[in-house]
Every structure is written in C-alpha cells, then in structure tokens.
Short mmCIF file of all heavy atoms in Angstrom, two decimals:
data_model
loop_
_atom_site.label_atom_id
_atom_site.label_comp_id
_atom_site.label_asym_id
_atom_site.label_seq_id
_atom_site.Cartn_x
_atom_site.Cartn_y
_atom_site.Cartn_z
N MET A 1 17.60 6.51 -9.93
CA MET A 1 17.47 6.41 -8.47
C MET A 1 17.38 4.94 -8.07
O MET A 1 16.70 4.16 -8.71
CB MET A 1 16.20 7.15 -8.05
CG MET A 1 15.91 7.11 -6.57
SD MET A 1 14.30 7.85 -6.19
CE MET A 1 14.64 9.59 -6.40
N ASP A 2 18.12 4.61 -7.03
CA ASP A 2 18.03 3.26 -6.47
C ASP A 2 17.61 3.37 -5.01
O ASP A 2 18.17 4.17 -4.26
CB ASP A 2 19.39 2.55 -6.54
CG ASP A 2 19.63 1.92 -7.90
OD1 ASP A 2 18.72 1.24 -8.39
OD2 ASP A 2 20.72 2.13 -8.44
N ILE A 3 16.64 2.57 -4.63
CA ILE A 3 16.19 2.59 -3.24
C ILE A 3 16.65 1.32 -2.57
O ILE A 3 16.47 0.22 -3.10
CB ILE A 3 14.66 2.66 -3.16
CG1 ILE A 3 14.15 3.86 -3.94
CG2 ILE A 3 14.21 2.74 -1.70
CD1 ILE A 3 12.65 3.85 -4.10
N HIS A 4 17.26 1.48 -1.40
CA HIS A 4 17.69 0.32 -0.65
C HIS A 4 17.19 0.45 0.78
O HIS A 4 17.33 1.50 1.40
CB HIS A 4 19.22 0.20 -0.65
CG HIS A 4 19.71 -0.94 0.17
ND1 HIS A 4 19.70 -2.24 -0.28
CD2 HIS A 4 20.18 -0.98 1.44
CE1 HIS A 4 20.16 -3.02 0.67
NE2 HIS A 4 20.46 -2.30 1.72
N ILE A 5 16.59 -0.61 1.28
CA ILE A 5 16.16 -0.62 2.67
C ILE A 5 17.05 -1.56 3.46
O ILE A 5 17.20 -2.73 3.10
CB ILE A 5 14.69 -1.07 2.79
CG1 ILE A 5 13.79 -0.07 2.08
CG2 ILE A 5 14.29 -1.20 4.27
CD1 ILE A 5 12.33 -0.52 2.01
N ASP A 6 17.68 -1.05 4.49
CA ASP A 6 18.51 -1.87 5.35
C ASP A 6 17.60 -2.62 6.32
O ASP A 6 17.09 -2.06 7.28
CB ASP A 6 19.49 -0.97 6.13
CG ASP A 6 20.45 -1.80 6.97
OD1 ASP A 6 20.17 -3.00 7.19
OD2 ASP A 6 21.46 -1.24 7.40
N GLU A 7 17.40 -3.87 6.00
CA GLU A 7 16.43 -4.65 6.79
C GLU A 7 16.90 -4.93 8.20
O GLU A 7 16.11 -5.26 9.08
CB GLU A 7 16.13 -5.96 6.05
CG GLU A 7 15.30 -5.68 4.79
CD GLU A 7 15.37 -6.82 3.79
OE1 GLU A 7 15.92 -7.89 4.13
OE2 GLU A 7 14.89 -6.64 2.66
N ASP A 8 18.21 -4.85 8.42
CA ASP A 8 18.72 -5.03 9.78
C ASP A 8 18.45 -3.81 10.64
O ASP A 8 18.42 -3.90 11.86
CB ASP A 8 20.23 -5.31 9.75
CG ASP A 8 20.53 -6.66 9.12
OD1 ASP A 8 19.66 -7.55 9.22
OD2 ASP A 8 21.60 -6.81 8.53
N THR A 9 18.29 -2.67 9.98
CA THR A 9 18.09 -1.41 10.71
C THR A 9 16.61 -1.08 10.87
O THR A 9 16.20 -0.50 11.87
CB THR A 9 18.79 -0.26 9.96
OG1 THR A 9 20.17 -0.59 9.80
CG2 THR A 9 18.69 1.05 10.73
N CYS A 10 15.82 -1.44 9.88
CA CYS A 10 14.39 -1.14 9.90
C CYS A 10 13.72 -1.68 11.15
O CYS A 10 13.92 -2.83 11.53
CB CYS A 10 13.74 -1.75 8.65
SG CYS A 10 11.94 -1.62 8.62
N ILE A 11 12.96 -0.82 11.81
CA ILE A 11 12.25 -1.23 13.01
C ILE A 11 10.75 -1.37 12.76
O ILE A 11 9.96 -1.56 13.68
CB ILE A 11 12.49 -0.24 14.17
CG1 ILE A 11 12.07 1.17 13.77
CG2 ILE A 11 13.95 -0.28 14.61
CD1 ILE A 11 12.05 2.17 14.92
N GLY A 12 10.36 -1.22 11.49
CA GLY A 12 8.95 -1.41 11.15
C GLY A 12 8.06 -0.27 11.58
O GLY A 12 6.88 -0.46 11.86
N ALA A 13 8.64 0.93 11.62
CA ALA A 13 7.87 2.09 12.07
C ALA A 13 6.79 2.49 11.06
O ALA A 13 5.82 3.14 11.42
CB ALA A 13 8.80 3.28 12.33
N GLY A 14 7.01 2.14 9.80
CA GLY A 14 5.98 2.37 8.80
C GLY A 14 5.93 3.77 8.23
O GLY A 14 5.05 4.09 7.43
N GLN A 15 6.84 4.63 8.64
CA GLN A 15 6.81 6.02 8.15
C GLN A 15 7.00 6.09 6.64
O GLN A 15 6.39 6.91 5.97
CB GLN A 15 7.88 6.85 8.85
CG GLN A 15 7.63 7.06 10.32
CD GLN A 15 6.31 7.72 10.58
OE1 GLN A 15 5.92 8.66 9.91
NE2 GLN A 15 5.58 7.23 11.56
N CYS A 16 7.85 5.20 6.12
CA CYS A 16 8.11 5.25 4.67
C CYS A 16 6.85 4.89 3.91
O CYS A 16 6.50 5.54 2.92
CB CYS A 16 9.27 4.32 4.32
SG CYS A 16 9.04 2.62 4.90
N ALA A 17 6.15 3.85 4.35
CA ALA A 17 4.94 3.43 3.66
C ALA A 17 3.82 4.46 3.80
O ALA A 17 2.99 4.62 2.91
CB ALA A 17 4.48 2.07 4.20
N LEU A 18 3.83 5.19 4.92
CA LEU A 18 2.84 6.25 5.09
C LEU A 18 3.14 7.43 4.18
O LEU A 18 2.23 8.05 3.63
CB LEU A 18 2.85 6.74 6.55
CG LEU A 18 2.07 5.93 7.57
CD1 LEU A 18 2.29 6.50 8.96
CD2 LEU A 18 0.60 5.91 7.24
N THR A 19 4.43 7.70 4.03
CA THR A 19 4.84 8.88 3.26
C THR A 19 4.74 8.65 1.77
O THR A 19 4.26 9.51 1.03
CB THR A 19 6.29 9.26 3.64
OG1 THR A 19 6.36 9.45 5.04
CG2 THR A 19 6.71 10.55 2.93
N ALA A 20 5.18 7.49 1.31
CA ALA A 20 5.16 7.19 -0.13
C ALA A 20 4.58 5.80 -0.36
O ALA A 20 5.28 4.86 -0.73
CB ALA A 20 6.57 7.29 -0.70
N PRO A 21 3.27 5.67 -0.16
CA PRO A 21 2.65 4.34 -0.22
C PRO A 21 2.70 3.69 -1.59
O PRO A 21 2.53 2.48 -1.70
CB PRO A 21 1.20 4.60 0.24
CG PRO A 21 0.99 6.05 0.01
CD PRO A 21 2.31 6.72 0.20
N GLU A 22 2.93 4.49 -2.63
CA GLU A 22 2.99 3.89 -3.96
C GLU A 22 4.33 3.22 -4.21
O GLU A 22 4.47 2.49 -5.18
CB GLU A 22 2.69 4.93 -5.04
CG GLU A 22 3.75 5.99 -5.21
CD GLU A 22 3.58 7.16 -4.24
OE1 GLU A 22 2.98 7.02 -3.16
OE2 GLU A 22 4.07 8.23 -4.58
N VAL A 23 5.29 3.48 -3.33
CA VAL A 23 6.63 2.91 -3.52
C VAL A 23 6.95 1.89 -2.43
O VAL A 23 7.51 0.83 -2.69
CB VAL A 23 7.69 4.02 -3.54
CG1 VAL A 23 9.10 3.43 -3.62
CG2 VAL A 23 7.44 4.97 -4.71
N PHE A 24 6.59 2.21 -1.19
CA PHE A 24 6.91 1.34 -0.07
C PHE A 24 5.66 0.63 0.44
O PHE A 24 4.57 1.19 0.45
CB PHE A 24 7.50 2.14 1.10
CG PHE A 24 8.76 2.87 0.75
CD1 PHE A 24 8.72 4.18 0.33
CD2 PHE A 24 9.99 2.24 0.83
CE1 PHE A 24 9.89 4.87 0.01
CE2 PHE A 24 11.16 2.90 0.51
CZ PHE A 24 11.11 4.21 0.10
N THR A 25 5.88 -0.60 0.87
CA THR A 25 4.79 -1.29 1.54
C THR A 25 5.40 -2.07 2.70
O THR A 25 6.61 -2.16 2.84
CB THR A 25 4.05 -2.23 0.56
OG1 THR A 25 2.91 -2.78 1.22
CG2 THR A 25 4.96 -3.36 0.08
N GLN A 26 4.56 -2.61 3.55
CA GLN A 26 5.08 -3.36 4.69
C GLN A 26 4.71 -4.82 4.55
O GLN A 26 3.60 -5.17 4.13
CB GLN A 26 4.51 -2.79 6.00
CG GLN A 26 5.14 -1.46 6.36
CD GLN A 26 4.51 -0.84 7.58
OE1 GLN A 26 3.45 -0.26 7.50
NE2 GLN A 26 5.17 -0.99 8.72
N ASP A 27 5.67 -5.69 4.89
CA ASP A 27 5.39 -7.11 4.80
C ASP A 27 4.58 -7.57 6.02
O ASP A 27 4.21 -6.76 6.88
CB ASP A 27 6.68 -7.91 4.62
CG ASP A 27 7.60 -7.83 5.83
OD1 ASP A 27 7.12 -7.47 6.93
OD2 ASP A 27 8.80 -8.13 5.67
N ASP A 28 4.32 -8.85 6.10
CA ASP A 28 3.45 -9.37 7.15
C ASP A 28 4.00 -9.11 8.55
O ASP A 28 3.26 -9.07 9.53
CB ASP A 28 3.23 -10.87 6.96
CG ASP A 28 2.39 -11.14 5.72
OD1 ASP A 28 1.72 -10.20 5.24
OD2 ASP A 28 2.40 -12.28 5.24
N ASP A 29 5.32 -8.96 8.62
CA ASP A 29 5.94 -8.70 9.91
C ASP A 29 6.03 -7.22 10.23
O ASP A 29 6.54 -6.83 11.28
CB ASP A 29 7.34 -9.32 9.96
CG ASP A 29 7.27 -10.85 9.84
OD1 ASP A 29 6.34 -11.43 10.42
OD2 ASP A 29 8.14 -11.43 9.18
N GLY A 30 5.57 -6.40 9.30
CA GLY A 30 5.57 -4.96 9.54
C GLY A 30 6.81 -4.26 9.03
O GLY A 30 6.93 -3.05 9.16
N TYR A 31 7.73 -5.02 8.45
CA TYR A 31 8.95 -4.39 7.96
C TYR A 31 8.73 -3.88 6.55
O TYR A 31 7.94 -4.43 5.77
CB TYR A 31 10.13 -5.37 8.03
CG TYR A 31 10.48 -5.69 9.44
CD1 TYR A 31 10.14 -6.91 10.01
CD2 TYR A 31 11.13 -4.74 10.23
CE1 TYR A 31 10.43 -7.19 11.33
CE2 TYR A 31 11.43 -5.01 11.55
CZ TYR A 31 11.08 -6.23 12.10
OH TYR A 31 11.36 -6.49 13.40
N SER A 32 9.46 -2.87 6.24
CA SER A 32 9.24 -2.20 4.97
C SER A 32 9.90 -2.93 3.81
O SER A 32 10.99 -3.46 3.94
CB SER A 32 9.81 -0.79 5.07
OG SER A 32 9.59 -0.12 3.86
N THR A 33 9.23 -2.93 2.69
CA THR A 33 9.81 -3.42 1.45
C THR A 33 9.44 -2.45 0.33
O THR A 33 8.45 -1.73 0.44
CB THR A 33 9.30 -4.83 1.08
OG1 THR A 33 7.88 -4.78 0.91
CG2 THR A 33 9.64 -5.86 2.14
N VAL A 34 10.23 -2.47 -0.70
CA VAL A 34 9.93 -1.66 -1.87
C VAL A 34 8.99 -2.48 -2.75
O VAL A 34 9.21 -3.68 -2.97
CB VAL A 34 11.22 -1.30 -2.63
CG1 VAL A 34 10.89 -0.49 -3.89
CG2 VAL A 34 12.16 -0.50 -1.73
N ARG A 35 7.95 -1.86 -3.23
CA ARG A 35 7.02 -2.57 -4.10
C ARG A 35 7.74 -3.06 -5.35
O ARG A 35 8.60 -2.37 -5.88
CB ARG A 35 5.87 -1.65 -4.51
CG ARG A 35 4.93 -1.30 -3.36
CD ARG A 35 3.74 -0.54 -3.88
NE ARG A 35 2.92 -0.03 -2.80
CZ ARG A 35 1.98 -0.74 -2.17
NH1 ARG A 35 1.74 -1.98 -2.53
NH2 ARG A 35 1.28 -0.20 -1.19
N PRO A 36 7.37 -4.25 -5.84
CA PRO A 36 8.02 -4.77 -7.04
C PRO A 36 7.94 -3.79 -8.20
O PRO A 36 6.88 -3.22 -8.47
CB PRO A 36 7.20 -6.04 -7.34
CG PRO A 36 6.63 -6.44 -6.03
CD PRO A 36 6.37 -5.15 -5.29
N GLY A 37 9.07 -3.58 -8.83
CA GLY A 37 9.13 -2.67 -9.97
C GLY A 37 9.31 -1.22 -9.60
O GLY A 37 9.40 -0.35 -10.46
N LYS A 38 9.36 -0.94 -8.29
CA LYS A 38 9.49 0.46 -7.85
C LYS A 38 10.87 0.74 -7.26
O LYS A 38 11.06 1.76 -6.59
CB LYS A 38 8.42 0.78 -6.79
CG LYS A 38 7.01 0.70 -7.32
CD LYS A 38 6.68 1.85 -8.24
CE LYS A 38 5.24 1.78 -8.68
NZ LYS A 38 4.68 3.08 -9.01
N GLU A 39 11.80 -0.16 -7.55
CA GLU A 39 13.14 0.01 -6.99
C GLU A 39 13.81 1.29 -7.49
O GLU A 39 14.77 1.77 -6.89
CB GLU A 39 14.02 -1.20 -7.34
CG GLU A 39 13.60 -2.49 -6.64
CD GLU A 39 12.47 -3.21 -7.37
OE1 GLU A 39 11.98 -2.70 -8.39
OE2 GLU A 39 12.09 -4.30 -6.90
N ASP A 40 13.30 1.81 -8.60
CA ASP A 40 13.88 3.06 -9.11
C ASP A 40 13.07 4.27 -8.65
O ASP A 40 13.27 5.38 -9.12
CB ASP A 40 13.93 3.02 -10.64
CG ASP A 40 12.55 2.97 -11.27
OD1 ASP A 40 11.56 2.79 -10.54
OD2 ASP A 40 12.46 3.09 -12.50
N GLY A 41 12.15 4.06 -7.75
CA GLY A 41 11.38 5.17 -7.20
C GLY A 41 10.10 5.45 -7.95
O GLY A 41 9.26 6.20 -7.49
N GLY A 42 9.98 4.89 -9.14
CA GLY A 42 8.76 5.08 -9.92
C GLY A 42 8.46 6.54 -10.22
O GLY A 42 7.32 6.91 -10.46
N GLY A 43 9.50 7.37 -10.21
CA GLY A 43 9.30 8.78 -10.52
C GLY A 43 8.67 9.56 -9.38
O GLY A 43 8.28 10.70 -9.55
N SER A 44 8.57 8.95 -8.21
CA SER A 44 7.90 9.61 -7.11
C SER A 44 8.80 10.61 -6.40
O SER A 44 9.92 10.28 -5.99
CB SER A 44 7.40 8.59 -6.09
OG SER A 44 6.90 9.25 -4.95
N ALA A 45 8.31 11.82 -6.25
CA ALA A 45 9.06 12.83 -5.52
C ALA A 45 9.01 12.60 -4.01
O ALA A 45 9.71 13.24 -3.25
CB ALA A 45 8.51 14.22 -5.84
N LEU A 46 8.17 11.66 -3.59
CA LEU A 46 8.00 11.42 -2.16
C LEU A 46 9.04 10.47 -1.59
O LEU A 46 9.13 10.29 -0.39
CB LEU A 46 6.60 10.84 -1.91
CG LEU A 46 5.45 11.80 -2.17
CD1 LEU A 46 4.12 11.07 -2.07
CD2 LEU A 46 5.49 12.96 -1.19
N VAL A 47 9.83 9.86 -2.49
CA VAL A 47 10.80 8.87 -2.02
C VAL A 47 11.81 9.49 -1.06
O VAL A 47 12.12 8.95 0.00
CB VAL A 47 11.50 8.19 -3.20
CG1 VAL A 47 12.66 7.33 -2.71
CG2 VAL A 47 10.50 7.33 -3.97
N ARG A 48 12.32 10.66 -1.45
CA ARG A 48 13.31 11.32 -0.59
C ARG A 48 12.67 11.74 0.74
O ARG A 48 13.29 11.69 1.79
CB ARG A 48 13.89 12.55 -1.28
CG ARG A 48 14.78 12.16 -2.41
CD ARG A 48 15.30 13.35 -3.17
NE ARG A 48 15.95 12.90 -4.37
CZ ARG A 48 17.10 12.24 -4.38
NH1 ARG A 48 17.72 11.99 -3.25
NH2 ARG A 48 17.63 11.81 -5.49
N GLU A 49 11.42 12.16 0.65
CA GLU A 49 10.69 12.51 1.87
C GLU A 49 10.56 11.29 2.77
O GLU A 49 10.73 11.37 3.99
CB GLU A 49 9.30 13.03 1.46
CG GLU A 49 8.65 13.94 2.45
CD GLU A 49 9.51 15.13 2.82
OE1 GLU A 49 10.03 15.82 1.93
OE2 GLU A 49 9.67 15.33 4.02
N ALA A 50 10.28 10.15 2.16
CA ALA A 50 10.15 8.91 2.93
C ALA A 50 11.47 8.53 3.58
O ALA A 50 11.50 8.07 4.73
CB ALA A 50 9.66 7.78 2.01
N ALA A 51 12.56 8.72 2.85
CA ALA A 51 13.87 8.40 3.41
C ALA A 51 14.16 9.29 4.62
O ALA A 51 14.69 8.84 5.64
CB ALA A 51 14.95 8.58 2.35
N ARG A 52 13.77 10.57 4.51
CA ARG A 52 13.96 11.48 5.64
C ARG A 52 13.05 11.14 6.80
O ARG A 52 13.40 11.33 7.96
CB ARG A 52 13.70 12.93 5.20
CG ARG A 52 14.92 13.64 4.68
CD ARG A 52 14.68 15.14 4.62
NE ARG A 52 13.69 15.48 3.62
CZ ARG A 52 13.98 15.71 2.34
NH1 ARG A 52 15.21 15.64 1.93
NH2 ARG A 52 13.05 16.00 1.49
N ALA A 53 11.88 10.61 6.48
CA ALA A 53 10.90 10.33 7.53
C ALA A 53 11.28 9.11 8.36
O ALA A 53 10.83 8.96 9.49
CB ALA A 53 9.52 10.11 6.89
N CYS A 54 12.08 8.23 7.79
CA CYS A 54 12.46 7.02 8.53
C CYS A 54 13.24 7.39 9.79
O CYS A 54 14.28 8.03 9.70
CB CYS A 54 13.31 6.11 7.65
SG CYS A 54 13.86 4.63 8.53
N PRO A 55 12.75 7.00 10.96
CA PRO A 55 13.38 7.44 12.21
C PRO A 55 14.73 6.80 12.47
O PRO A 55 15.50 7.30 13.30
CB PRO A 55 12.36 7.02 13.28
CG PRO A 55 11.58 5.92 12.66
CD PRO A 55 11.53 6.21 11.18
N VAL A 56 15.04 5.72 11.77
CA VAL A 56 16.32 5.05 12.01
C VAL A 56 17.24 5.12 10.79
O VAL A 56 18.29 4.50 10.76
CB VAL A 56 16.12 3.58 12.45
CG1 VAL A 56 15.48 3.53 13.83
CG2 VAL A 56 15.27 2.82 11.43
N GLY A 57 16.84 5.87 9.78
CA GLY A 57 17.69 6.05 8.61
C GLY A 57 17.93 4.78 7.82
O GLY A 57 19.01 4.58 7.26
N ALA A 58 16.93 3.93 7.76
CA ALA A 58 17.10 2.64 7.08
C ALA A 58 16.90 2.72 5.57
O ALA A 58 17.23 1.78 4.87
CB ALA A 58 16.15 1.61 7.68
N VAL A 59 16.32 3.83 5.11
CA VAL A 59 16.06 3.97 3.68
C VAL A 59 17.20 4.76 3.04
O VAL A 59 17.48 5.89 3.43
CB VAL A 59 14.73 4.70 3.42
CG1 VAL A 59 14.48 4.82 1.91
CG2 VAL A 59 13.58 3.96 4.09
N ARG A 60 17.87 4.14 2.10
CA ARG A 60 18.97 4.82 1.41
C ARG A 60 18.58 5.02 -0.04
O ARG A 60 18.12 4.10 -0.71
CB ARG A 60 20.23 3.98 1.50
CG ARG A 60 21.48 4.79 1.15
CD ARG A 60 22.75 3.99 1.39
NE ARG A 60 22.87 2.90 0.43
CZ ARG A 60 23.18 1.65 0.73
NH1 ARG A 60 23.36 1.31 1.98
NH2 ARG A 60 23.27 0.74 -0.20
N VAL A 61 18.70 6.25 -0.48
CA VAL A 61 18.38 6.58 -1.86
C VAL A 61 19.65 7.05 -2.54
O VAL A 61 20.30 7.97 -2.07
CB VAL A 61 17.32 7.70 -1.93
CG1 VAL A 61 17.03 8.07 -3.37
CG2 VAL A 61 16.03 7.25 -1.22
N THR A 62 20.00 6.39 -3.62
CA THR A 62 21.20 6.80 -4.36
C THR A 62 20.81 7.12 -5.79
O THR A 62 19.83 6.57 -6.31
CB THR A 62 22.26 5.70 -4.34
OG1 THR A 62 21.69 4.48 -4.81
CG2 THR A 62 22.79 5.48 -2.93
N GLU A 63 21.54 7.99 -6.38
CA GLU A 63 21.30 8.35 -7.77
C GLU A 63 22.14 7.47 -8.67
O GLU A 63 23.29 7.18 -8.38
CB GLU A 63 21.64 9.82 -8.02
CG GLU A 63 20.73 10.80 -7.32
CD GLU A 63 19.29 10.69 -7.77
OE1 GLU A 63 19.05 10.28 -8.90
OE2 GLU A 63 18.40 11.03 -6.97
N ARG A 64 21.54 7.03 -9.75
CA ARG A 64 22.32 6.32 -10.76
C ARG A 64 23.08 7.33 -11.58
O ARG A 64 22.51 8.33 -12.01
CB ARG A 64 21.41 5.51 -11.66
CG ARG A 64 20.92 4.25 -10.99
CD ARG A 64 20.04 3.43 -11.91
NE ARG A 64 19.22 2.56 -11.09
CZ ARG A 64 18.26 1.78 -11.57
NH1 ARG A 64 18.02 1.77 -12.85
NH2 ARG A 64 17.57 1.01 -10.77
N VAL A 65 24.32 7.08 -11.75
CA VAL A 65 25.16 7.99 -12.53
C VAL A 65 25.30 7.45 -13.94
O VAL A 65 25.56 6.28 -14.15
CB VAL A 65 26.54 8.15 -11.86
CG1 VAL A 65 27.40 9.11 -12.68
CG2 VAL A 65 26.38 8.65 -10.44
N GLY A 66 25.11 8.34 -14.89
CA GLY A 66 25.26 7.93 -16.29
C GLY A 66 23.94 7.57 -16.77
O GLY A 66 23.49 6.77 -17.38
S1 LIG B 101 10.25 4.18 8.07
FE1 LIG B 101 12.23 3.13 8.30
S2 LIG B 101 11.98 1.87 10.12
FE2 LIG B 101 9.93 2.46 9.43
S3 LIG B 101 9.24 0.77 8.11
FE3 LIG B 101 10.18 2.33 6.81
S4 LIG B 101 12.35 1.66 6.60
FE4 LIG B 101 11.48 0.59 8.36
#
C-alpha cells in the first residue's frame, strides 16, 4: 500500500488524522502529512477509512503490485 496526500487539494480538515492518527498527522499549518515510516500504511485498516473520510478526496491509497 502506498499513501499519497495531494497537498494542493488538502484543506486541512483533519479528518484523516482523526480517523487514523497512527498514520496521519497534521503539520504546523494544519495540513495533513503521513507520519515518517508509515507511507505503507503501517498495516492499519483505518487508512482506507481515512481516505474515504477526507472531504476533498486528497488522500490516495494505491496497492503495490507484485
Ligand atoms: S482529511 Fe483530507 S483535507 Fe483533511 S487534513 Fe486530511 S488530507 Fe487534508
């Protein structure tokens, strides 16, 4: 799994960090970032929930193939 946050789209709503706080956090400006080392989701089942929770669809989750 690869998590990508479109920083141009993110409005800093914080839903991702609320939904999956072990994976997402917010920077000083309130915009979301993936915690270091959690770019692969860290095995969290909440990542997809967080992507759905984002009101502007800024969180993209893709599966690694192979
Ligand atoms: S839920 Fe979406 S808009 Fe809100 S902080 Fe997370 S990525 Fe940004």
Side-chain angles (χ1 to χ4, degrees):
M1 178 186 287
D2 277 312
I3 304 170
H4 177 79
I5 296 174
D6 184 344
E7 289 161 9
D8 292 331
T9 304
C10 174
I11 57 170
Q15 292 302 317
C16 54
L18 278 175
T19 304
E22 69 275 25
V23 176
F24 299 94
T25 186
Q26 286 176 280
D27 66 19
D28 291 342
D29 296 323
Y31 293 104
S32 181
T33 60
V34 178
R35 291 187 188 276
K38 296 288 183 153
E39 292 83 358
D40 65 351
S44 173
L46 292 172
V47 171
R48 289 176 190 291
E49 205 55 50
R52 270 195 292 273
C54 178
V56 292
V59 180
R60 196 174 69 227
V61 178
T62 54
E63 293 298 333
R64 283 181 202 175
V65 180

